[in-house]
C-alpha cells in the first residue's frame, strides 16, 4: 500500500481535502505548506521521492495568475517538486467548496446570488455571498456536510480534472 502525502496551502484546504477526498485517499497525510520554509518543503519532497511506497500530490491556488504561470512559480519555489504531481485549484479553494453546493443548499445556508460556473470564483467573491462574513468557517463546514462531487465536476474545470484523476488513479 502506498502512503500519499498531500501538500495544501492552509487549514481551509486541509478541511476540504479531508472531507471530500479523505475516504478515497487510503493511507495519507495532509501537510500545510504555506507557513513553512521553502527549503523544508523541498527537503520533504526529496525524502518522499526517495521512499518506497510513497507518493505525493501538491496543490496551489491559481490566484488569478493563470494556471501555467502559477505552476511555473511553484516549480521555481520548491526544488524536487514534479510538474506531474502539481495541481492548481482554479481560482482558490473557495471555488471548489462553492462548486459542490446545490442551489437549494445555497438558499438553506443563505448564500447570495447562486453562480453556475465557479472556475473564476475568488475568496473575496465567496465572502461576498455570505449573509454574515463572520459565519465563514461555519458555512464552509456546512457546505462540506452536503457536498456533491458530481455537481462540482460540472461547475469547476480544475475540480473536474482532479476528480477525474482520483477516479482513474490506482495510487489512491
Amino acid at each position: 500500500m502506498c502512503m500519499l502525502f498531500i501538500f495544501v496551502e492552509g487549514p481551509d484546504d486541509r478541511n476540504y481535502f479531508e472531507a471530500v477526498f479523505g475516504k478515497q485517499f487510503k493511507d495519507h497525510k495532509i501537510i500545510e505548506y504555506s507557513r513553512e520554509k521553502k527549503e523544508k518543503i523541498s527537503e520533504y519532497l526529496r525524502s518522499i521521492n526517495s521512499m518506497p511506497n510513497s507518493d505525493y500530490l501538491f496543490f496551489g491556488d491559481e490566484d488569478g495568475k493563470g494556471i501555467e504561470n502559477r505552476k511555473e512559480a511553484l516549480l521555481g519555489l520548491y526544488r524536487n517538486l514534479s510538474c506531474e504531481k502539481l495541481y492548481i485549484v482554479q481560482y482558490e479553494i473557495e471555488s471548489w467548496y462553492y462548486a459542490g453546493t446545490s442551489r437549494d443548499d445555497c438558499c438553506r445556508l443563505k448564500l447570495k446570488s447562486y453562480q453556475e460556473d465557479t472556475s473564476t470564483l475568488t475568496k473575496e467573491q465567496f465572502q461576498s455571498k455570505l449573509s454574515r462574513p463572520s459565519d465563514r468557517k461555519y458555512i464552509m463546514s456546512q457546505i462540506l456536510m452536503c457536498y456533491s462531487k458530481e455537481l462540482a465536476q460540472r461547475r469547476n474545470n480544475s475540480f473536474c480534472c482532479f476528480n477525474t484523476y482520483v477516479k482513474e488513479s490506482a495510487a489512491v
Side-chain angles (χ1 to χ4, degrees):
M1 184 160 292
C2 182
M3 178 63 166
L4 182 66
F5 295 87
I6 304 166
F7 289 83
V8 299
E9 288 186 4
D12 291 335
D13 308 69
R14 170 188 288 277
N15 295 340
Y16 178 85
F17 279 93
E18 200 59 63
V20 176
F21 293 106
K23 290 180 179 146
Q24 287 175 278
F25 299 141
K26 294 164 184 58
D27 289 331
H28 68 279
K29 179 177 180 179
I30 298 177
I31 301 154
E32 295 176 28
Y33 67 85
S34 65
R35 292 191 177 127
E36 297 290 338
K37 292 187 178 190
K38 285 151 190 51
E39 299 79 22
K40 179 179 179 180
I41 297 302
S42 293
E43 282 305 305
Y44 210 154
L45 293 169
R46 185 193 60 72
S47 68
I48 294 168
N49 285 330
S50 68
M51 291 169 34
N53 297 321
S54 293
D55 204 356
Y56 71 89
L57 299 172
F58 197 100
F59 291 87
D61 290 343
E62 182 208 12
D63 294 331
K65 296 177 175 126
I67 290 175
E68 291 308 313
N69 289 338
R70 187 66 175 130
K71 277 186 174 185
E72 285 178 29
L74 288 169
L75 290 167
L77 280 176
Y78 301 103
R79 331 182 291 285
N80 307 311
L81 175 57
S82 169
C83 186
E84 293 78 34
K85 298 174 190 215
L86 174 58
Y87 290 87
I88 303 300
V89 175
Q90 193 175 20
Y91 247 37
E92 296 167 314
I93 197 65
E94 287 80 2
S95 68
W96 282 20
Y97 271 88
Y98 191 67
T101 311
S102 71
R103 189 178 298 273
D104 288 344
D105 285 326
C106 281
C107 287
R108 182 179 58 79
L109 295 170
K110 298 182 175 122
L111 295 172
K112 304 172 197 168
S113 65
Y114 188 77
Q115 180 176 334
E116 276 301 324
D117 183 0
T118 71
S119 294
T120 60
L121 185 78
T122 65
K123 183 179 304 211
E124 293 77 20
Q125 289 168 329
F126 177 81
Q127 191 82 2
S128 74
K129 293 181 180 303
L130 303 176
S131 297
R132 293 183 13 206
S134 60
D135 289 345
R136 181 178 180 275
K137 293 287 184 195
Y138 172 76
I139 295 296
M140 291 174 94
S141 70
Q142 292 298 301
I143 286 172
L144 293 175
M145 293 173 72
C146 60
Y147 198 82
S148 166
K149 286 185 194 177
E150 294 75 25
L151 182 59
Q153 278 213 176
R154 292 193 306 269
R155 295 179 65 206
N156 188 288
N157 293 332
S158 64
F159 176 87
C160 182
C161 291
F162 179 68
N163 195 49
T164 300
Y165 161 79
V166 169
K167 286 180 181 178
E168 295 173 354
S169 178
V172 292

